[in-house]
Amino acid sequence: MAKEALISFDLKADFGFLKKPDYNDGILLSYNMLHKPALLGILGAITGMAGYSIPGELPEYYTRLSSLAVGIAPLNHEKGIFQKTTVKYTNTAGYANDDGTLLIEETMLVKPGYRCYLLLDLEHEEQATLYMNLKNNQAVYIPYMGKNEYQAWLDGPVTEYNCKRYVAEGEFSIDSLFIKDGSIRNRKVNAGFSFASRSMMNKGAFCYFERLPVGFDERLRQYNYCDFAFTDWVLKPDSVIEDLYEITDPGGIKSIIQLF
């Protein structure tokens, strides 16, 4: 078994709720994109690691997997966006509220799906277990998309890639979420007509932005954030974006992703 393996698996659900910590006009909001802390929770469920159990302490899955390099790309999206709806709950349990009734309204993702990339160290016991469980389509605990009402599943086989660090030598595009630093528009290659192919070249359709958690501040016990982008734009060779990898699937198809 090789020391490292870069793999991907597709994660899907009928519904999802990736809760934002802020509260807007009586509605609980959801992130659109799966973020790293949520993905680590799903990986922890697959390997059988404990979640939140001791007040004031980070969960076992996070302490063991936080150094894992991951990449994320949405599937079956509309310009990076998933359909959303709202749902209302009424909880009349006596412990729910002082007056015995708790009214909740929250956003809900409809049919979210993500391709999750993992750079695994197979000499690390937990990561080797994760690798085998994913390859065998097994999970110790049922994974869910943010809430235990929204069961998630692995869709299709795990794909294993050849990979190398990417150094831009020409125009390129990124097929996953990536952390942006500054303006992306200034790095876009302008569209133009190619007489050779008799078609428009570099005709990007969208650029999606979202501020997402990447980990926890272990002292404050709150999220650390980065600004992310997801786009089909072609970028200039001098665009400085760190931790890019060129990956090649078993069919020889190449793509560029960011691991963070």
Side-chain angles (χ1 to χ4, degrees):
M1 184 180 292
K3 180 179 179 181
E4 283 191 336
L6 197 153
I7 66 172
S8 74
F9 65 94
D10 292 352
L11 184 73
K12 296 184 178 180
D14 288 328
F15 304 102
F17 178 61
L18 305 168
K19 183 181 178 181
K20 290 186 176 183
D22 43 337
Y23 189 70
N24 183 36
D25 195 23
I27 301 177
L28 298 174
L29 301 176
S30 173
Y31 292 104
N32 179 70
M33 294 288 184
L34 180 67
H35 53 78
K36 184 173 182 177
L39 175 57
L40 295 182
I42 292 168
L43 300 179
I46 291 170
T47 53
M49 296 180 188
Y52 288 93
S53 56
I54 301 175
E57 291 190 9
L58 291 171
E60 178 188 18
Y61 71 78
Y62 184 80
T63 58
R64 293 194 178 191
L65 298 175
S66 59
S67 62
L68 182 64
V70 307
I72 299 169
L75 299 170
N76 302 320
H77 57 88
E78 180 63 34
K79 296 184 178 180
I81 299 172
F82 293 104
Q83 181 183 347
K84 299 177 181 66
T85 187
T86 60
V87 60
K88 295 181 180 181
Y89 299 97
T90 301
N91 188 338
T92 57
Y95 53 79
N97 204 353
D98 291 339
D99 61 5
T101 301
L102 179 64
L103 302 177
I104 300 173
E105 185 173 4
E106 66 185 28
T107 55
M108 180 172 63
L109 304 176
V110 179
K111 295 190 178 300
Y114 307 92
R115 179 157 294 162
C116 305
Y117 299 91
L118 310 176
L119 182 59
L120 299 171
D121 179 356
L122 299 181
E123 294 185 348
H124 190 285
E125 182 179 356
E126 284 92 353
Q127 295 185 29
T129 299
L130 175 60
Y131 175 83
M132 293 307 300
N133 284 5
L134 288 170
K135 293 280 282 187
N136 294 323
N137 200 26
Q138 296 176 340
V140 177
Y141 304 126
I142 296 174
Y144 53 86
M145 197 70 76
K147 291 184 69 174
N148 55 14
E149 296 100 312
Y150 304 147
Q151 181 178 339
W153 62 86
L154 308 181
D155 187 59
V158 167
T159 302
E160 197 157 347
Y161 302 87
N162 292 321
C163 72
K164 62 181 181 180
R165 288 273 186 170
Y166 179 75
V167 178
E169 297 178 350
E171 299 170 355
F172 66 100
S173 59
I174 303 175
D175 299 295
S176 70
L177 282 170
F178 61 93
I179 299 172
K180 76 180 191 73
D181 181 15
S183 172
I184 298 298
R185 183 175 294 277
N186 296 336
R187 307 174 193 178
K188 178 186 177 183
V189 175
N190 292 327
F193 186 80
S194 169
F195 290 96
S197 63
R198 297 183 179 180
S199 63
M200 291 294 294
M201 303 294 292
N202 305 327
K203 188 180 178 182
F206 71 92
C207 191
Y208 173 86
F209 302 99
E210 189 171 14
R211 185 168 175 81
L212 294 168
V214 292
F216 287 100
D217 184 307
E218 297 190 10
R219 182 176 63 87
L220 298 176
R221 297 293 189 270
Q222 63 187 26
Y223 285 141
N224 288 325
Y225 291 89
C226 284
D227 292 318
F228 282 83
F230 178 68
T231 182
D232 63 350
W233 290 354
V234 177
L235 304 179
K236 298 176 181 177
D238 59 355
S239 301
V240 179
I241 299 172
E242 298 181 350
D243 299 321
L244 294 180
Y245 287 77
E246 181 181 86
I247 61 175
T248 307
D249 71 11
I253 298 175
K254 298 181 184 293
S255 53
I256 298 169
I257 63 169
Q258 185 187 65
L259 299 178
F260 54 91

